[in-house]
Amino acid sequence: MKCFSVCSHDCPDACALEVEIKDNLVAKISGNKDHPFTQGIICNKTAQYKEVVYSDKRVLYPHKRVGEKGTNAFKRISWDEAIETIVTKWQRILKNYTSDSILPYSYAGTEGVLNNASMDRRFFNKLGAAKLLRTICSAAGTKGFELAYGKAIGTNPIYTSNSKFIVFWGVNALATNLHQAIFAQKARQSGAKIVSIDVEKNETAHFADEFYHINPASDGILALGIANIIINENLYDREFIENNTYGFGAFKELTKQYTPNIVCKQTGLSEKQLNKLSIEYATTHPSFIRIGNGLQHHLNGGCNTWAISLLPALVGAWKFKAGGAIKSNSGYFPINKNLLQRPDLLASKTRTINMVELGKALSDEKNPIKSIYVYNSNPLVVAPNHNLVKKGFQREDLFVVVHERLWTTTALYADIVLPATTFLEHDDLYTSYWHNTIAFAKRAIEPLGESKPNIEVFSMLALAFGFKERCFRDNAYELASQALDDSYFKSHNITLNRLLEEKFIVLENIGYPYKDTAYTKLCKIQFKNEDAVNSTGKDLPECTDFSTHCPFILITPPNKYFLNSTFAHIDKLRKNSGVPSVKINTKDAIKHGIKDNDNVEVFNEQGSCILKAVICEDVKEGVLISRGLYWADDYINKQPINALTSDKLSDIGQGAVFFSTGVELKKL
Ligand SMILES: Nc1nc2c(c(=O)[nH]1)N[C@H]1C(S)=C(S)[C@@H](COP(=O)(O)OP(=O)(O)OC[C@H]3O[C@@H](n4cnc5c(=O)[nH]c(N)nc54)[C@H](O)[C@@H]3O)O[C@H]1N2
Ligand SMILES: Nc1nc2c(c(=O)[nH]1)N[C@H]1C(S)=C(S)[C@@H](COP(=O)(O)OP(=O)(O)OC[C@H]3O[C@@H](n4cnc5c(=O)[nH]c(N)nc54)[C@H](O)[C@@H]3O)O[C@H]1N2
Ligand SMILES: [Mo]
């Protein structure tokens, strides 16, 4: 039997899948051939997903802790006992503390609309739990883009195979947005040029026709330097700017500071390179920039993205279907979040905690968090300032519940572990933050063991708390219908019934509507944004660099073989990824007496990490790259890479700054 499904992982491609079932078991997973974005091609990870479903690390039953936190001491219990324990503990907390001393913590373990954010939000709203600001991924860049465009909507990627100049800027598309690379390859076959701008000569840099190897976090300065040249050379699109944008005069003034001399010094590019990039970008149409997450995981990440986002407006790239930019297209889908998440159930204001600052929140003694409920996330691997987070989870007075598919590093710190279904075991509605297809996937197999989907567990908790509202009984089908309760879906006849029949529907008339309907307050693309002053202190993307006061800057981007920390336990993929390692420039290696394969210590005031040295020219002097979020136990000293990263916040959007990590290096 063959089933339709959608990959639920936190990846722009949201691939449509074909799942082959034999004897009620998943036999094979491949890409759906009819889906216009997947085109029958999936990554090496999802193709191996059955290894996750049937992994011996699956949590299959509820468990309670019977030994020390962080050790593998658990005893199987029933669902009844698990729910009763949680309710009793929380009721005790509610008696003695404010309701917002209970903290939900989740991110994007599944991107399924329902199991990502629906019943959970209803439940925690009604409970009056603390609010979580979900900023760990793209908050800085999303906000930066929005300051120019008002909403996370860019080019429809389907057209990018007709682009003539494609820039992969701080995005390792070959690893993280495979189908965008496939569209680029198609464009290249029709004469397009592909450029990569990155701090590592990675797979996307090799794939590109031209690679611009820049210094970390110098992207905003580079964008303004490019703009300066384009304006000086009179290569900007006057008519487009006049008709569709606001504040160009002020922006033009700003760019004057970014002379080639200054920009080359900051970015590390030569004047020849800077000129070539600027002129080719301005004169080749349609041009398209894929703006990645890498350049925004920095202290100046919001501003970097803001500045880059304005380049397509400067050259009028938006006039072409195949032109413009994508930071995120999550704004394509008008999901009815009010109906789905029911913010009206929240009776009074509660405190808000930024997930980047989890460690700080857990060590707040004045206003203590007494319980944390983790789902869709693995904070003891993915959150910055790991040692502070760990110290928090080790608190004996913190009641920890973890709802997980796997015995992750985080699950080992739980008081109660609840078993979660994989996406092949539950129903969900799927969108994407890159393409414009919406889908509904029914479960392909029965849940393993006693595992349950998020929506069901939150329903159970709500009933156990005696919450009477009908909405706590909604099933996946009812939730999906509510999600689609919007005039856009109605006018386009996009209903759950149609989705059940057709599996997926491609949304029409999607793309950045620059003409008078731009999503900003002024209905124009904004070179200048006076409203930004409140949150950023400036009305123009004035970009500066920063110093970490350390000899090295450590960049820790995703691994091609994992999906954040997911898949890191799968042997077949681990064979490819190898052990946790760090790329070091040859000159730095010589200076520190380090040879290939040596174990080295990368450290700072927060922690220390032991990694295998890879000596190469892929990184510049002063830059270290360690790819992949391995589970803590995979590191020689059990210190995951986030032991080193900081919980400071980005300039704009209060986002994570994983890549602005100052470190020192020594041979062991
Ligand atoms: N295989 C795989 N795919 C994934 C993921 C995964 O873990 N593995 N994660 C998913 C998630 S959650 C996300 S958010 C996306 C992220 O995917 P991307 O948008 O590609 O972002 P990153 O991989 O974080 O960083 C991209 C590149 O930015 C570079 N970089 C770092 N600092 C700078 C800088 O200052 N300037 C420039 N120009 N480049 C810089 C890094 O070297 C890296 O090559 O991928 C998704 N897809
Ligand atoms: N140093 C460094 N740190 C980073 C990054 C980086 O590049 N460098 N990237 C950051 C980024 S961009 C992101 S998005 C975050 C990602 O952080 P997370 O969203 O925490 O990502 P994962 O590591 O994939 O962990 C997701 C967990 O959810 C579980 N899960 C999956 N499906 C379900 C489900 O249906 N129900 C429940 N209850 N659980 C489920 C999975 O088993 C998995 O353990 O990490 C961030 N951390
Ligand atoms: Mo992310």
Side-chain angles (χ1 to χ4, degrees), residues 354-365:
N354 186 324
M355 71 190 300
V356 172
E357 300 178 311
L358 177 62
K360 281 184 199 150
L362 295 181
S363 38
D364 181 350
E365 285 173 12

Side-chain angles (χ1 to χ4, degrees), residues 10 107-108 136-138 293 297 433 558 564:
D10 185 358
Y107 200 64
I136 205 165
C137 174
S138 57
N293 235 34
H297 269 326
Y433 52 92
N564 302 319

Side-chain angles (χ1 to χ4, degrees), residues 36-52:
F37 295 90
T38 307
Q39 302 176 57
I41 301 165
I42 56 169
C43 69
N44 52 5
K45 306 177 294 300
T46 302
Q48 304 284 349
Y49 194 70
K50 98 179 176 190
E51 304 285 333
V52 175

Side-chain angles (χ1 to χ4, degrees), residues 142-433:
T142 301
K143 188 73 194 162
F145 187 87
E146 282 175 6
L147 288 177
Y149 296 97
K151 199 170 169 182
I153 286 194
T155 313
N156 183 339
I158 202 82
Y159 299 122
T160 59
S161 56
N162 298 322
S163 304
K164 290 291 176 226
F165 194 79
I166 297 178
V167 184
F168 286 115
W169 197 325
V171 57
N172 187 9
L174 256 74
T176 62
N177 190 187
L178 180 63
H179 295 82
Q180 182 64 73
I182 292 171
F183 286 139
Q185 177 64 6
K186 207 170 151 209
R188 174 151 59 192
Q189 282 156 1
S190 312
K193 178 163 185 177
I194 302 171
V195 159
S196 151
I197 305 174
D198 209 288
V199 300
E200 182 195 4
K201 191 163 192 183
N202 57 21
E203 42 278 73
T204 305
H206 285 287
F207 168 77
D209 300 301
E210 196 109 34
F211 174 49
Y212 293 97
H213 200 171
I214 62 168
N215 294 328
S218 63
D219 303 81
I221 292 169
L222 175 57
L224 295 169
I226 292 172
N228 181 37
I229 291 175
I230 291 174
I231 293 167
N232 284 338
E233 297 290 324
N234 245 324
L235 295 173
Y236 57 106
D237 190 332
R238 273 211 173 75
E239 199 187 322
F240 180 88
I241 291 171
E242 215 153 276
N243 293 334
N244 306 294
T245 73
Y246 166 79
F248 177 66
F251 178 76
K252 185 174 164 185
E253 264 317 293
L254 171 73
T255 61
K256 286 183 182 158
Q257 300 169 31
Y258 297 84
T259 60
N261 189 11
I262 289 174
V263 172
C264 290
K265 206 168 137 229
Q266 298 282 350
T267 58
L269 296 182
S270 67
E271 284 206 22
K272 198 172 151 199
Q273 282 179 304
L274 177 64
N275 255 311
K276 187 168 188 223
L277 175 60
S278 309
I279 307 287
E280 283 183 356
Y281 176 68
T283 55
T284 322
H285 289 292
S287 61
F288 165 68
I289 309 178
R290 179 70 173 99
I291 307 172
N293 235 34
L295 58 95
Q296 59 95 59
H297 269 326
H298 282 288
L299 288 161
N300 60 359
C303 212
N304 285 339
T305 316
W306 188 4
I308 295 167
S309 304
L310 290 169
L311 293 177
L314 184 67
V315 299
W318 295 108
K319 288 189 304 196
F320 306 91
K321 273 188 164 174
I326 300 177
K327 163 64 186 85
S328 159
N329 280 337
S330 56
Y332 275 172
F333 303 91
I335 295 293
N336 190 333
K337 289 192 179 159
N338 276 337
L339 262 188
L340 213 49
Q341 305 180 4
R342 297 290 306 268
D344 56 297
L345 290 171
L346 184 65
S348 58
K349 205 171 159 19
T350 58
R351 79 174 115 163
T352 297
I353 285 170
N354 186 324
M355 71 190 300
V356 172
E357 300 178 311
L358 177 62
K360 281 184 199 150
L362 295 181
S363 38
D364 181 350
E365 285 173 12
K366 252 191 13 227
N367 214 354
I369 298 290
K370 298 301 291 178
S371 180
I372 183 167
Y373 183 108
V374 180
Y375 58 110
N376 285 343
S377 186
N378 188 8
L380 276 154
V381 175
V382 307
N385 201 353
H386 166 82
N387 284 320
L388 195 62
V389 175
K390 183 164 136 185
K391 203 172 142 210
F393 272 80
Q394 281 170 329
R395 269 174 44 201
E396 272 307 321
D397 68 324
L398 181 77
F399 177 62
V400 180
V401 183
V402 176
H403 184 204
E404 248 300 345
R405 304 175 312 170
L406 298 160
W407 286 101
T408 57
T409 307
T410 307
L412 299 183
Y413 286 83
D415 293 289
I416 298 284
V417 182
L418 304 173
T421 39
T422 68
F423 72 86
L424 293 180
E425 297 154 63
H426 59 235
D427 307 325
D428 215 322
L429 179 72
Y430 293 94
T431 57
S432 157
Y433 52 92

Side-chain angles (χ1 to χ4, degrees), residues 25 50-64 72 74-79 82 402-408 411 417-422 425 445-453 457:
L25 296 174
K50 98 179 176 190
E51 304 285 333
V52 175
V53 177
Y54 302 114
S55 163
D56 57 8
K57 293 214 164 61
R58 265 304 283 276
V59 178
L60 292 174
Y61 305 96
H63 283 76
K64 71 174 174 192
N72 209 342
F74 291 93
K75 182 173 174 276
R76 183 176 160 183
I77 55 172
S78 66
W79 266 104
V402 176
H403 184 204
E404 248 300 345
R405 304 175 312 170
L406 298 160
W407 286 101
T408 57
V417 182
L418 304 173
T421 39
T422 68
E425 297 154 63
I445 51 168
E446 293 291 310
L448 263 65
E450 291 180 3
S451 61
K452 289 186 191 295
V457 177

